[in-house]
């Protein structure tokens, strides 16, 4: 679990403080690769997901949408929506804007206040786990088992409302921590019955091997090495690993390496030869062949194109 959360990246984050007067409907569509985190600071909001499911978010509730996609925040379920990009926001800093659509009544007690962030959500080599996550993960349902969520939500509320010096940076860090806690809570609470790699994370016969792989992905692992991490025989380990995850241990290791390489080359702008060395390849050519065999394309395609948005 610790290795998984250490690999969690939230990049390209855009934050918004949204204050709206009912009735309202605000639509979001950050694309399938853009996760969203919404924290309701004041008021009650209805969340309509891409599938049409409705959830009620009371004040002090956070919702994390790992897949992004179209969704709406509404003061009533039958209201039309206006896209968030059509609102005029006042820049607070490079990453935070303040949006007010309050019918001329800013800071009115009846207004709804939401802290919202849109980001690229990456779990490093565990991106397979992201695909198993539900459309919406609501922190309010985790608070009884994970009371540490409550003081974070309260601290975010204080920062949003107080707007003290440096509040934008503090909000961003709190949002990162809250997202990680929500993901951890989902896993610890059973992952909604998801299987595959989630079962492997919860299987004491496999979790040691997974932790070792994520801790040292550049090692030239063999099935026997990984089995030794679990204290089982090579054949028992390999059979169990494939039955739970659907892939062989070495295929999992290869996918992990290339997922990390994609992250390092694309987001961290690490040179290809440096990524190859970090992952234990004797040459850049050997690394490039392995990369193309696993991903279907060359490592160079992971580099951000010139002139692309940061």
């Amino acid at each position: 679990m610790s290795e998984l959360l250490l690999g969690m990246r939230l990049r390209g984050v855009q934050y918004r403080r949204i204050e709206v007067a009912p009735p309202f409907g605000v639509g979001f569509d950050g694309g399938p690769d853009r996760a969203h985190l919404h924290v309701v600071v004041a008021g009650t909001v209805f969340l309509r997901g891409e599938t049409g499911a409705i959830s009620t978010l009371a004040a002090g509730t956070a919702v994390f949408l790992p897949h992004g996609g179209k969704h709406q925040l509404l003061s009533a379920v039958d209201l039309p929506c206006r896209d968030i990009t059509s609102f005029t926001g006042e820049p607070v800093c490079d990453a935070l804007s303040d949006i007010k659509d309050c019918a001329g009544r800013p800071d009115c007690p009846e207004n709804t206040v939401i802290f919202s962030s849109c980001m690229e959500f990456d779990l490093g080599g565990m991106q397979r786990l992201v695909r198993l996550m539900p459309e919406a993960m609501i922190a309010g349902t985790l608070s009884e088992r994970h009371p540490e969520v409550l003081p974070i939500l309260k601290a975010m509320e204080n920062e949003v409302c107080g707007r003290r010096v440096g509040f934008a940076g503090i909000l961003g860090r709190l949002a990162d921590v809250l997202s990680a806690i929500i993901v951890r809570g989902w896993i610890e609470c059973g992952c909604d019955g998801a299987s595959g790699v989630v079962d492997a994370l919860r299987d004491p016969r496999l979790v040691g091997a997974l932790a070792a792989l994520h801790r040292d992905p550049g090692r030239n692992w063999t099935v026997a090495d990984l089995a030794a991490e679990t204290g089982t025989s090579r054949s028992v380990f390999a059979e169990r690993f494939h039955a739970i995850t659907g892939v062989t241990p070495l295929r999992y290791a290869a996918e992990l390496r290339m997922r990390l390489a994609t992250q390092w080359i694309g987001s961290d702008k690490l040179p290809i030869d440096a990524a190859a060395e970090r992952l234990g390849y004797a040459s850049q050519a050997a690394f490039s062949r392995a990369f193309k065999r696993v991903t279907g394309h060359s490592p160079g395609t992971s580099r951000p194109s010139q002139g692309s948005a940061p």
Side-chain angles (χ1 to χ4, degrees):
M1 180 72 70
S2 297
E3 300 296 332
L4 183 155
L5 293 177
L6 281 174
M8 179 173 169
R9 302 284 188 92
L10 301 176
R11 299 188 302 271
V13 183
Q14 180 183 18
Y15 301 106
R16 297 183 178 100
R17 178 191 183 276
I18 305 168
E19 184 176 349
V20 285
F24 64 83
V26 184
F28 299 83
D29 184 12
D33 298 323
R34 304 286 290 182
H36 284 81
L37 173 72
H38 302 298
V39 180
V40 181
V41 176
T44 298
V45 174
F46 295 94
L47 167 71
R48 179 188 290 127
E50 195 163 20
T51 61
I54 301 289
S55 301
T56 304
L57 309 178
T61 301
V63 59
F64 183 61
L65 298 99
H67 311 293
K70 293 183 178 179
H71 60 283
Q72 296 88 39
L73 299 178
L74 314 129
S75 59
V77 295
D78 56 350
L79 292 174
C81 276
R82 177 180 167 189
D83 191 86
I84 186 64
T85 58
S86 69
F87 290 84
T88 301
E90 176 186 348
V92 177
C93 63
D94 288 343
L96 176 65
S97 60
D98 193 3
I99 294 173
K100 291 186 178 180
D101 192 60
C102 314
R105 298 184 301 162
D107 302 319
C108 173
E110 296 180 1
N111 290 346
T112 298
V113 179
I114 303 163
F115 175 73
S116 177
S117 59
C118 175
M119 72 212 69
E120 293 179 36
F121 173 48
D122 196 332
L123 273 180
M126 295 298 291
Q127 204 65 11
R128 181 190 297 266
L129 183 64
V130 177
R131 296 195 291 268
L132 300 173
M133 290 180 178
E135 179 183 26
M137 303 160 72
I138 300 175
T141 62
L142 303 174
S143 59
E144 290 186 4
R145 291 192 182 189
H146 304 278
E148 65 272 20
V149 168
L150 299 177
I152 293 176
L153 289 171
K154 184 62 179 177
M156 295 183 78
E157 176 184 342
N158 292 339
E159 293 297 331
V160 171
C161 296
R163 306 186 67 178
R164 298 167 62 188
V165 174
F167 81 99
I170 292 174
L171 270 174
R173 286 165 176 76
L174 289 172
D176 292 350
V177 172
L178 181 59
S179 299
I181 288 176
I182 292 173
V183 170
R184 181 182 67 179
W186 175 73
I187 294 172
E188 290 181 340
C189 289
C191 308
D192 298 329
S195 58
V197 70
V198 175
D199 289 337
L201 285 170
R202 299 172 63 84
D203 191 325
R205 292 166 291 184
L206 299 182
V207 71
L210 286 172
L213 271 172
H214 284 262
R215 188 166 51 246
D216 190 7
R219 177 176 167 181
N220 185 23
W221 290 100
T222 66
V223 176
D225 292 336
L226 293 169
E229 295 287 336
T230 68
T232 59
S233 70
R234 181 185 182 280
S235 58
V236 169
F237 167 75
E239 182 180 354
R240 179 67 179 170
F241 193 99
H242 188 273
I244 293 294
T245 67
V247 295
T248 66
L250 296 186
R251 177 66 186 185
Y252 182 93
E255 291 181 356
L256 168 63
R257 292 189 188 104
M258 299 316 149
R259 181 70 195 179
L260 291 173
T262 300
Q263 175 181 295
W264 295 341
I265 296 168
S267 300
D268 300 343
K269 298 181 176 59
L270 193 71
I272 293 175
D273 59 346
E277 182 179 357
R278 186 182 291 185
L279 288 171
Y281 288 89
S283 67
Q284 183 174 326
F287 166 71
S288 296
R289 288 193 297 270
F291 191 97
K292 189 168 186 178
R293 184 168 59 250
V294 173
T295 68
H297 52 82
S298 65
T301 61
S302 299
R303 290 196 187 103
S305 59
Q306 292 186 354
S308 62

